Amino acid sequence: MNTLPLPSYAQRILSHGASRAVMEALSEDRFPIDCSELEAPCAAVLIAAAALKSEKRFLVIVPSDAEAEAFASDCAAMGASSMVFPWWKTAAY
């Protein structure tokens, strides 16, 4: 069971200078934004906050199905809905 106080946790992350810069870039539609060095839960907090604030849709690419499910779960914990598209494997061929 997760007992973290998520709203206060998110507010602390969003008040950080680098997070504010990302939120500004998202609000000004400056894409793509490279978050490759950012830990996944923090990235989910940023994307969820941006999605809830602006009602925009975002495409997030992660390396595996497991990471996609975890990212979607983190977004849901922040109150943002998400969809996970499964890997196609060789279906395109």
Side-chain angles (χ1 to χ4, degrees):
M1 173 188 243
N2 185 350
T3 58
L4 290 173
L6 292 178
S8 62
Y9 165 75
Q11 288 304 327
R12 290 187 71 190
I13 289 175
L14 295 172
S15 67
H16 187 270
S19 296
R20 284 195 312 267
V22 170
M23 294 300 288
E24 182 179 306
L26 290 171
S27 70
E28 295 173 0
D29 293 332
R30 290 185 286 168
F31 297 107
I33 297 173
D34 181 8
C35 297
S36 59
E37 298 299 320
L38 190 60
E39 294 293 328
C42 187
V45 168
L46 292 173
I47 294 298
L52 292 170
K53 183 178 179 181
S54 67
E55 297 187 17
K56 293 181 183 178
R57 295 181 182 184
F58 296 94
L59 174 64
V60 177
I61 300 170
V62 295
S64 69
D65 285 344
E67 289 176 85
E69 292 293 340
F71 195 93
S73 177
D74 292 339
C75 286
M78 297 307 300
S81 63
S82 62
M83 295 174 59
V84 175
F85 295 98
W87 181 48
W88 282 20
K89 298 181 178 121
T90 58
Y93 300 101

